[in-house]
Amino acid sequence: MGFDLLPILLSTLIAGTPLVYAGLGELITERAGVLNMGVEGTMVTGAVVAFAVALTTGNLWLGVLAAMAAGALLSLLFAVLAISFRANQLAVGLAMTIFGTGLGSYLGRPYVGMALVQDATQAGGGLAQLPVIGPLFSAVHPLIWLSWILFAAVWYFLARSRAGLALRAVGEAPTSAHAIGYPVVRIRYWATLFGGAMSGIAGAYMSTVYASLWTEGLIAGRGWIAVALVVFATWRPERCIAGAYLFGGATMAQLFAQSAGIGLPSELMSALPYLATIVVLVLISRDASLMRLSVPASLGKPFNPQG
Amino acid sequence: MPLPETDPGRQFRLELRGISKSYPAVRANDRIDLTVAPGEIHAVVGENGAGKSTLMKIIYGMVRPDAGDVLWNGRETQISSPAEAQRLGIGMVFQHFALFDTLTVAENIALALPEKLPLKAVAARIVEVASRYGLPVDPGRHIYTMSVGERQRVEIIRSLLQKPGLLIMDEPTSVLTPQAVDTLFVTLRELAADGCSILYISHKLDEIRALCERATILRGGKVTGVCDPRRESSNAMARMMIGADIQAISSARTVSAGSERLAIHNLSLPASDPFGTTLSDISLSIRGGEVLGIAGVSGNGQQELLAALSGETMFADPQVITIDGKPAANLDPRQRRAIGLSSVPEDRLGRGAIPSLPLSENALLTNGGPDSVRGGFIRLDKVKAFAERCIAEFGVRGGTADSPAGSLSGGNLQKFIVGREILQAPGVLVVAQPTWGVDIGAAIAIRQAILDLRAKGAAVLVISEELDELFEIADRIAVIASGRLSPSVPRGRFDRDAIGLAMSGQFAAASNRSEASRVHSV
Ligand SMILES: Nc1ncnc2c1ncn2[C@@H]1O[C@H](COP(=O)(O)OP(=O)(O)OP(=O)(O)O)[C@@H](O)[C@H]1O
Ligand SMILES: [Mg+2]
């Protein structure tokens, strides 16, 4: 068929990036044994906060920072309830989604219908003036290539750093980690806050870069896809980023397919990430040792340092 | 060198005053006083549930005492977390290990080292130290592929590499081989000579008498005596521990005349993961009224053999394993139970029991026959009655049928899971490390129960690293090494050295030796 590859690639990048942020954030949270199902709500709040701040200050990066702070704040609330008070993580996570979504649409009401006008070539700052790689920075939004740096950092952290090893140990056996002197609760707090801040960026990206506007339903389940993505990736960052582009590409493929006159039911395409996740879950559950090696063993279980 | 006891200027490394700790069901520690001098190797002994592990966890900051003071180098100190204990220089070897299953040995050890070395350097140090301490481990292996004996080696190496000022060892040798124990003791004595204090818990009184210069004896959470174990006989100490004389095992050693109940025919099984052991061509046969012991250094195929027997690993060819003549190798664990094979796995807190479930429900897990389940409904009264029978007949202390399995002390849980199988009167019993961490009184009770089962005509397979145990109860002993099983030796020809040789894989040399010794004894 006569598709031009470049626009497809570009739009895959554009659609996959929020999933990269939210997915990698949730992945770190879950590797520490904390299951935060509130990603969707955190993304909604992050989107609104970023949009409002960017609109009023005229500075995109202030918006992103504010969204990170808002995301971290929401996940702090989650952490207090689920880690310190050891409430059921699933229940608190779902409550956070409902709360975050409601908070977002409440805060966002004054901004509905407004548009954020920005010069895309300016977002990259002086980098676009660089020789050779300069055009890359003007064609691709900085939040996109920053997500690659995030990926590299997360990969290095988990696979190579001592702190990452400690985080994995906490997710694997919090009692043992406590017994050899690691501050389990503190590590879980940091992991949760990091996940929240990344969900905040994911939301900011949606409202300020992807759509340049705020409407209710902007996030449209991407937070849930991010949670599913972590399982799909069997808790590995390299699979997480691949899955993010796969799922991002799927949503774009739907648009291209329509314009090319191929009638695929859009419901099927939007169900694809969940279907793929179920398939992966079934595949890894068939192999007991793969399961044991992939899933953080204490995922979703509260830990009490007092025994 | 420790100073004499009466020296007034002497400062203790650790001093406990009036430590008390209560749990809902029991008073685990009751006003306990204890002192440890620098360089002293101090034993803490007592029967299962006496409160030893609880006391150690209090010193290590894992459990907060209800009352009492802890003095560290003479200063009153609040040890509120393990991290704090480590800062003070306290290290601990845990009875139920504190390892990370999906991480490698090197990663597990690196996590606990104070200095941040690259993993390669840690691995190199493990290899060096492991051979010096006589505790061979492969730094690249994942913990979940290892047997309990191998895990115990990792725990010990980790604690030794931390160079602590006080080392707490909670039953560190419960699944180590005698040779490894001997080398470990040399290491511990060196450590002590360098000024490290050691708190040593064990149920093996011979070890305590060989290693320790002072012993504190606990019973029911209270200190019942402090003695010099080198000057007391094992019997005298046992009396202080259980408050009564220990009874010898009584067994009418009749020659077994039963028919074959359990047989393995040429079982070969490739290792399921790169570090597992490949079982090659294993055959054995046990008659009714017979106990076959399998000796061997842990990690030589015991786990794999046990999984093959229990049904965790199933085979396509049903004839590889026969139970009472019936082909069974293709059956799953429940089906094998239904035709009379019970098994006790080696790790009690994982495969053997679910820590968060009460004992009664844990009992139901392997005893789900028509007695306890009818028409899909659980008969709670029957299940509870059965759990209570296990508790009463095997002297499980510190728990009722409703206590979660995880709240029991190690030895008491072991008694429970062994009792659970024996009371179902199976035709064939396969049991690994039956007396892991069990006190002398209870160990005798468990061995007696195994022999009683044998007298009723059951076939019993005991996999153990404890040669003394096998010598006491087995009618025949075979040795497993590198996944191969030696021919079995009947009771009259047991030879400690020959079996030791065979354990290192030298079957031919071992059988020559036992031939020679037979000639001598004639
Ligand atoms: N977390 C807990 N919750 C409730 N009871 C407990 C808990 N931990 C220990 N106990 C109880 O405290 C008592 C002492 O247990 P502890 O583990 O100290 O015994 P132990 O001397 O180490 O025995 P063993 O030789 O069997 O290891 C036991 O009766 C046990 O049931
Ligand atoms: Mg104990």
Side-chain angles (χ1 to χ4, degrees):
Chain A
M1 312 263 306
F3 286 149
D4 195 356
L5 210 56
L6 196 64
I8 299 184
L9 275 181
L10 256 180
S11 53
T12 298
L13 279 187
I14 289 169
T17 297
L19 299 179
V20 174
Y21 280 107
L24 287 175
E26 178 69 8
L27 186 138
I28 290 289
T29 308
E30 291 193 12
R31 284 304 282 267
V34 181
L35 182 60
N36 184 355
M37 297 278 265
V39 179
E40 175 84 6
T42 316
M43 276 180 74
V44 171
T45 303
V48 170
V49 169
F51 187 80
V53 172
L55 193 74
T56 42
T57 62
N59 186 326
L60 168 73
W61 297 108
L62 282 182
V64 172
L65 279 180
M68 282 177 75
L73 207 65
L74 270 188
S75 60
L76 179 66
L77 185 58
F78 171 89
V80 169
L81 295 173
I83 300 176
S84 293
F85 292 112
R86 297 187 285 283
N88 183 305
Q89 295 183 8
L90 276 180
V92 179
L94 293 179
M96 294 310 294
T97 280
I98 298 170
F99 175 66
T101 311
L103 182 71
S105 45
Y106 171 73
L107 293 177
R109 204 168 301 154
Y111 301 100
V112 174
M114 291 190 194
L116 192 64
V117 189
Q118 54 176 341
D119 183 359
T121 53
Q122 285 216 322
L127 290 173
Q129 262 75 62
L130 288 178
V132 190
I133 53 166
L136 180 69
F137 289 107
S138 57
V140 174
H141 194 275
L143 272 176
I144 294 181
W145 54 260
L146 279 175
S147 75
W148 299 335
I149 295 179
L150 173 72
F151 161 72
V154 164
W155 182 87
Y156 181 85
F157 173 78
L158 284 177
R160 292 278 180 275
S161 79
R162 186 55 52 91
L165 182 60
L167 179 102
R168 286 191 282 144
V170 165
E172 171 67 31
T175 321
S176 300
H178 176 67
I180 58 171
Y182 283 89
V184 173
V185 168
R186 202 191 311 155
I187 290 175
R188 287 191 158 182
Y189 257 85
W190 281 118
T192 309
L193 290 186
F194 176 80
M198 291 307 111
S199 298
I201 299 186
Y205 177 89
M206 286 304 295
S207 64
T208 59
V209 179
Y210 187 86
S212 295
L213 53 75
W214 162 252
T215 63
E216 240 175 271
L218 173 72
I219 303 303
R222 284 183 175 79
W224 292 113
I225 297 185
V227 174
L229 178 62
V230 177
V231 181
F232 173 85
T234 54
W235 293 269
R236 307 258 181 84
E238 63 279 6
R239 292 184 193 163
C240 183
I241 194 167
Y245 291 131
L246 193 69
F247 294 166
T251 49
M252 281 300 159
Q254 174 190 340
L255 299 180
F256 278 96
Q258 266 167 15
S259 67
I262 307 168
L264 262 181
S266 65
E267 291 83 359
L268 186 71
M269 292 308 261
S270 39
L272 193 72
Y274 306 106
L275 286 177
T277 302
I278 291 173
V279 170
V280 168
L281 257 184
V282 169
L283 285 181
I284 64 170
S285 308
R286 281 161 50 99
D287 184 342
S289 77
L290 185 62
M291 190 78 182
R292 187 155 35 178
L293 280 177
S294 308
V295 189
S298 76
L299 185 62
K301 297 194 192 105
F303 169 74
N304 183 357
Q306 260 15 282
Chain B
M1 270 280 101
L3 301 162
E5 197 123 351
T6 44
D7 185 341
R10 166 182 181 169
Q11 195 183 54
F12 293 113
R13 170 101 0 117
L14 176 79
E15 183 171 0
L16 302 181
R17 289 188 188 150
I19 296 285
S20 296
K21 172 75 191 176
S22 292
Y23 284 115
V26 283
R27 199 169 168 93
N29 284 170
D30 191 358
R31 279 161 295 162
I32 291 186
D33 299 325
L34 181 97
T35 54
V36 190
E40 177 184 340
I41 305 182
H42 189 120
V44 178
V45 293
E47 42 185 353
N48 294 133
K52 306 177 296 292
S53 294
T54 305
L55 188 66
M56 297 308 118
K57 287 183 194 159
I58 288 173
I59 299 171
Y60 193 65
M62 297 258 291
V63 169
R64 200 158 295 167
D66 301 334
D69 300 316
V70 178
L71 278 75
W72 179 254
N73 288 331
R75 256 191 310 268
E76 202 170 305
T77 313
Q78 285 276 351
I79 304 177
S80 55
S81 72
E84 192 140 351
Q86 296 217 318
R87 265 196 297 282
L88 295 174
I90 304 176
M92 180 153 172
V93 171
F94 292 89
Q95 185 176 8
H96 289 131
F97 314 148
L99 300 171
F100 305 97
D101 277 0
T102 59
L103 303 184
T104 63
V105 171
E107 287 173 329
N108 266 279
I109 291 178
L111 275 168
L113 293 182
E115 69 270 38
K116 299 208 187 320
L117 297 172
L119 278 180
K120 275 214 188 71
V122 175
R125 246 174 91 189
I126 295 169
V127 172
E128 177 226 314
V129 159
S131 64
R132 181 145 50 90
Y133 295 161
L135 299 165
V137 291
D138 176 346
R141 270 185 77 172
H142 285 103
I143 300 294
Y144 77 97
T145 65
M146 303 172 101
S147 68
V148 290
E150 296 165 293
R151 290 174 197 211
Q152 192 153 52
R153 292 180 217 152
V154 179
E155 273 268 332
I156 295 174
I157 291 177
R158 180 170 72 181
S159 70
L160 293 178
L161 280 177
Q162 287 176 326
K163 299 203 183 72
L166 169 67
L167 179 56
I168 301 171
M169 306 188 92
D170 196 348
E171 304 193 25
T173 57
S174 54
V175 273
L176 283 191
T177 53
Q179 293 90 326
V181 171
D182 288 343
T183 332
L184 177 67
F185 282 6
V186 174
T187 311
L188 292 183
R189 286 193 197 102
E190 279 170 16
L191 265 183
D194 287 345
C196 174
S197 307
I198 297 172
L199 270 169
Y200 190 89
I201 298 182
S202 175
H203 289 294
K204 300 173 184 167
L205 294 182
D206 299 338
E207 284 183 5
I208 300 224
R209 295 182 53 226
L211 182 71
C212 306
E213 55 217 64
R214 228 152 42 104
T216 295
I217 295 155
L218 297 184
R219 182 170 2 132
K222 291 196 183 72
V223 176
T224 55
V226 179
C227 68
D228 181 343
R230 291 166 299 189
R231 284 195 217 122
E232 305 280 340
S233 70
S234 288
N235 273 336
M237 278 176 63
R239 218 172 301 127
M240 278 196 256
M241 280 164 59
I242 55 180
D245 279 321
I246 39 173
Q247 246 121 44
I249 288 193
S250 68
S251 76
R253 281 267 166 211
T254 49
V255 182
S256 58
S259 56
E260 180 182 89
R261 303 208 71 167
L262 174 71
I264 301 180
H265 311 283
N266 307 98
L267 179 151
S268 291
L269 179 67
S272 58
D273 68 82
F275 297 107
T277 308
T278 299
L279 297 180
S280 39
D281 203 24
I282 290 187
S283 297
L284 59 81
S285 155
I286 314 177
R287 296 170 172 280
E290 196 181 30
V291 177
L292 173 67
I294 294 189
V297 180
S298 131
N300 272 285
Q302 289 95 329
Q303 257 187 316
E304 288 81 0
L305 181 61
L306 195 68
L309 281 168
S310 71
E312 223 180 295
T313 313
M314 295 189 274
F315 296 83
D317 176 7
Q319 296 293 347
V320 173
I321 298 171
T322 53
I323 298 169
D324 284 327
K326 288 192 270 292
N330 58 341
L331 304 181
D332 69 26
R334 287 178 67 92
Q335 292 167 324
R336 291 191 198 185
R337 277 182 188 280
I339 60 170
L341 177 137
S342 282
S343 55
V344 180
E346 61 171 3
D347 51 344
R348 55 190 168 222
L349 265 184
R351 281 196 171 80
I354 300 179
S356 56
L357 290 186
L359 291 181
S360 58
E361 291 175 15
N362 269 299
L364 174 68
L365 286 177
T366 71
N367 181 25
D371 249 10
S372 32
V373 181
R374 195 167 50 193
F377 288 93
I378 298 170
R379 302 170 75 183
L380 291 173
D381 51 333
K382 290 272 158 60
V383 170
K384 199 161 170 191
F386 177 71
E388 273 157 5
R389 243 182 86 210
C390 297
I391 293 172
E393 291 192 19
F394 283 81
V396 178
R397 251 154 296 166
T400 65
D402 299 321
S403 317
S407 79
L408 257 71
S409 78
N412 277 311
L413 183 59
Q414 183 71 18
K415 293 188 236 171
F416 184 81
I417 64 170
V418 173
R420 174 178 73 182
E421 303 308 330
I422 290 184
L423 283 185
Q424 295 179 50
V428 179
L429 177 70
V430 178
V431 39
Q433 317 280 12
T435 56
W436 173 21
V438 160
D439 67 44
I440 17 171
I444 289 174
I446 286 179
R447 289 173 194 154
Q448 185 69 58
I450 290 176
L451 289 178
D452 292 348
L453 194 68
R454 163 189 177 271
K456 285 195 211 123
V460 184
L461 178 70
V462 181
I463 301 176
S464 175
E465 287 189 42
E466 249 185 87
L467 273 188
D468 292 330
E469 174 164 280
L470 293 178
F471 278 33
E472 208 171 329
I473 60 176
D475 297 299
R476 283 185 292 134
I477 292 182
V479 175
I480 191 167
S482 313
R484 294 187 308 129
L485 191 69
S486 76
S488 63
V489 183
R491 186 168 189 82
R493 282 170 43 204
F494 287 175
D495 173 351
R496 194 170 287 272
D497 298 323
I499 290 177
L501 266 179
M503 280 163 71
S504 55
Q506 294 156 299
F507 288 160
S511 63
N512 284 345
R513 216 201 123 88
S514 75
E515 288 302 317
S517 69
R518 212 152 47 104
V519 175
H520 268 287
S521 58
V522 164

